[in-house]
Amino acid sequence: MRLSGILPAATGRASPAKAALENARNQVAGLLGCEPDEIVFTSGGSEANNLAIKGTFFALRDKGEHIITVQAEHPAVLGPCRFLEQLGATVTYLPVDNTGRVDPEDVRRAITPRTILITVMHANNEVGTIQPIEEIGAIARASGIRFHTDAAQSVGKIPTKVETLGVDLLTIAGHKLYAPKGVGALYVRRGLELEPLIHGAGHEHGRRAGTESALLAVGLGAACALAVDLEPMVSIRALRDRLWNALQEGDDDGIVLNGHPQHRLPNTLNVSFVGVVGAEVLADLNGVAASTGSACHAGSVELSPVLAAMGVAERVGMGAVRFSLGRTTTEAEIDSVLARLRIAKSRSAPYVAPEASVV
């Protein structure tokens, strides 16, 4: 059966899909301030993190096996690190302070002659704390060590120019900046050796085999082109502060800010309603872009690992709720959430700490 007239005839010129893919690559590169051939399309942020961390380990393990990261990282970073420990990697998990920030001097002190990678997230996914990436980048560059940052939370919200940050690898997750789910990207500085996770043909300059999805890439490119304009973040920050200020009124002892008061994303507000369980508060907030870092298992509630790493007391941390604002958030929505929160808090049962087990 002939399909002439249905499929376009082959020509010596790039197909429309290929042209669209490369245009998307240009748009992602434009947001990060890098060259298009330094962008690798992936299935999302988790794959990009895995490619950066595992790809570095497998490419450089003849030079060393030591990786430096932070206790409050996303599972998509901690998981690969723990996996590589089974293959001979040694990993230093640095602590954070009570605002969620790592001390760059701790990074410097952790470096050994066998260190091949430093991976520190740009901004925390739960509390929004922004790490001192530029300072860490300078330390890594001076030491000749590869530096990766998971910027899934920060891209499109704060500046993420790779040269300013001083990174060699940077992760993007598409759905975090209004692109479709199922697409992401990894910035890979020119000249870096990186072992692919997926072997096969020479797609993505030999760094990720498999035919790319032009459809998803175009969505990511379009989102990145719009995200270049950070002016909307000014109004988002103002709305976030409006929410936080209203929550504090008349409730100074019953509400606590989690994260850094200044060095945090403009769209993120993580607060603890002291003495209650955050999951119960959320149960009355259907339709609100909020979440809790605590995990519920068989009726029990566990403190968020991020808040635990920050040293947040259990009674405080169990009441944590993260509110995420976006480019379409309005003052009316903030006021509605505040009204619903008053009701939700009044309905929530007080948090009761589990009894200590007797040995």
Side-chain angles (χ1 to χ4, degrees):
M1 176 180 177
R2 293 180 59 83
L3 298 178
S4 58
I6 298 177
L7 298 178
T11 69
R13 299 163 63 184
S15 70
K18 177 66 173 177
L21 182 72
E22 295 312 312
N23 182 60
R25 200 184 305 278
N26 283 325
Q27 290 172 313
V28 178
L31 178 61
L32 300 183
C34 66
E35 297 300 323
D37 64 358
E38 295 177 306
I39 297 298
V40 179
F41 286 117
T42 68
S43 64
S46 291
E47 185 191 334
N49 283 339
N50 273 261
L51 177 56
I53 297 167
K54 295 177 183 176
T56 293
F57 177 77
F58 291 127
L60 300 182
R61 60 177 169 176
D62 60 328
K63 300 179 181 178
E65 73 295 318
H66 182 228
I67 298 170
I68 299 171
T69 190
V70 175
Q71 293 174 6
E73 289 290 315
H74 191 278
V77 165
L78 296 177
C81 288
R82 290 174 181 138
F83 169 75
L84 290 176
E85 286 180 299
Q86 302 174 45
L87 302 181
T90 58
V91 183
T92 298
Y93 299 92
L94 295 174
V96 294
D97 63 19
N98 61 4
T99 71
R101 288 208 3 141
V102 67
D103 185 344
E105 288 305 310
D106 284 348
V107 176
R108 189 192 305 275
R109 286 187 288 268
I111 294 173
T112 77
R114 302 290 293 176
T115 304
I116 56 173
L117 178 68
I118 299 168
T119 175
V120 178
M121 68 190 340
H122 193 190
N124 188 268
N125 53 297
E126 287 190 31
V127 298
T129 294
I130 300 170
Q131 299 290 0
I133 295 299
E134 294 180 34
E135 295 175 57
I136 298 171
I139 292 170
R141 189 68 56 83
S143 303
I145 297 170
R146 191 174 296 188
F147 182 33
H148 165 249
T149 190
D150 177 356
Q153 294 294 330
S154 58
V155 169
K157 303 177 183 73
I158 58 176
T160 51
K161 298 295 186 183
V162 293
E163 289 301 327
T164 302
L165 296 176
V167 298
D168 302 299
L169 300 150
L170 181 145
T171 290
I172 293 178
H175 68 281
K176 297 296 185 180
L177 67 150
Y178 302 98
K181 291 183 178 181
V183 66
L186 178 67
Y187 157 73
V188 182
R189 186 180 295 278
R190 273 183 179 173
L192 257 62
E193 183 183 359
L194 202 65
E195 182 67 26
L197 295 182
I198 304 172
H199 296 89
H203 303 87
E204 297 299 295
H205 299 282
R207 294 172 295 197
R208 184 189 190 269
T211 303
E212 304 94 341
S213 169
L215 178 67
L216 293 176
V218 165
L220 177 59
C224 287
L226 293 172
V228 170
D229 178 15
L230 293 177
E231 183 63 27
M233 291 298 118
V234 176
S235 59
I236 290 173
R237 185 189 298 274
L239 288 174
R240 181 205 64 190
D241 292 343
R242 175 190 177 100
L243 176 59
W244 170 232
N245 292 334
L247 288 173
Q248 291 182 93
E249 290 178 4
D251 200 5
D252 293 339
D253 297 327
I255 190 165
V256 174
L257 175 69
N258 296 314
H260 200 284
Q262 286 85 39
H263 299 294
R264 59 189 167 116
L265 295 174
N267 73 311
T268 302
L269 178 66
N270 188 306
V271 298
S272 283
F273 300 102
V274 181
V276 301
V277 177
E280 293 190 11
V281 175
L282 285 182
D284 282 335
L285 295 178
N286 290 334
V288 176
S291 62
T292 180
S294 57
C296 299
H297 303 287
S300 65
V301 184
E302 298 177 0
L303 182 64
S304 152
V306 170
L307 297 183
M310 291 166 55
V312 175
E314 185 173 280
R315 183 172 178 272
V316 175
M318 289 301 189
V321 176
R322 180 193 68 177
F323 298 95
S324 298
L325 285 69
R327 295 190 178 215
T328 60
T329 303
T330 65
E331 288 188 8
E333 289 172 329
I334 296 296
D335 294 340
S336 174
V337 168
L338 288 166
R340 293 176 63 183
L341 271 173
R342 284 190 286 270
I343 298 172
K345 286 175 60 182
S346 67
R347 291 177 178 174
S348 300
Y351 168 68
V352 179
E355 294 183 8
S357 58
V358 179
V359 180

